[in-house]
Amino acid sequence: MKEILKKAQKEHYALGAFNFSTAEILKATVLAAKELSSPIIVATSEGEGGFIGFREAAALVGVWREAAKLPIILNLDHGKNLDIIKKAVAAGYDAVHFDGSGLSYKENIEQTSKAVKYIREYSKTFDRDVIIEGEIGYLRGASSLHQEKLEIKESDLTSPEQALDFIEQTGVDSLAIVIGNAHGVFAAGEEKLHLDRLAAIKKEVGDKVFLVLHGGSGIPAEDVKKAIELGIVKVNINTELRLAYKAGLEKEFAASPSETTPYKMLQPSIDEVKKVVMEKIKLFGSENKININN
Ligand code: G3H
Ligand code: ZN
């Protein structure tokens, strides 16, 4: 699985990490990736995984991986403690994000290191390479539509020196950073990335880690493109999929108020989500990149 990210890092494109909590959102995402021959990461947060079921999510992804013949990485998103990390890997997740960004820097290093140690031991015992992501910086927002204006402070941003220190002390494979990004879509104005900060972080850490951009919804496409050129290899997308899903439902309820067949009612949502995922895959440059060996 790491090879998929290494190839992206080497060739300067990014993988989308698309959140899902229902079988049809996963289906829409896989269909989009299939149509564009793109490797993808699919992810559940603790809440999303709790809803669909962790083992159920892993089983569905396993079936899709085979049916679509695509490299699909299943990722736990924003795991806040070791128990949830353990639960995800036991269920069959390929990657985990340990989010200790709400802790003090020292605590974050301690707890992330414990999670890394656990993952390395697990990988060795079960001969299954699980990827682990850490996070530093203060990421604002939640994956929804926000009416208020986004105010990002200089102190929220990830420090380049801390980024290097953090990866050296914890040994994480991937690092989520804050460079002006935030969770959610902000109706009052798009998020602007501090690309100079990203360049400084990349200069410090080089290729030692896979750099991750959370809060991928609502960032201008141009900024995302430049961020990928500067070294981002994973972009997390959730809110734009949620909005597309909801728009599909609203469209369906307005057009066919008497429809009662779930698979018919949900088709417009699948179509809307698929459209967004296809647009993101094209933006991230992962189209036609499923062959790991070239
Ligand atoms: O972890 C998930 C992502 O960071 C999603 O962010 O809802 O702004 O797309 P988003
Ligand atoms: Zn996130």
Side-chain angles (χ1 to χ4, degrees), residues 134-150:
E135 175 165 340
I136 46 170
Y138 179 42
L139 193 72
R140 293 175 185 266
S143 290
S144 58
L145 183 61
H146 303 279
Q147 296 308 328
E148 74 278 9
K149 209 171 165 289
L150 172 67

Side-chain angles (χ1 to χ4, degrees), residues 61-80:
V61 169
V63 173
W64 275 120
R65 197 180 279 138
E66 248 179 66
K69 295 185 182 57
L70 280 181
I72 307 177
I73 298 174
L74 175 58
N75 178 51
L76 170 74
D77 194 29
H78 294 284
K80 299 256 170 68

Side-chain angles (χ1 to χ4, degrees), residues 19 77-78 143 182-184 214-217 236-239:
N19 283 69
D77 194 29
H78 294 284
S143 290
H183 283 140
H214 277 251
S217 298
N236 287 27
I237 301 285
N238 196 353
T239 309

Side-chain angles (χ1 to χ4, degrees), residues 24 27 245 248-249 252-253 256 258-270:
E24 67 276 4
K27 177 177 177 174
Y245 185 83
L249 282 182
E252 169 65 18
F253 291 149
S256 317
S258 56
E259 183 59 69
T260 53
T261 306
Y263 68 80
K264 290 183 183 163
M265 284 192 279
L266 291 170
Q267 190 56 48
S269 288
I270 294 179

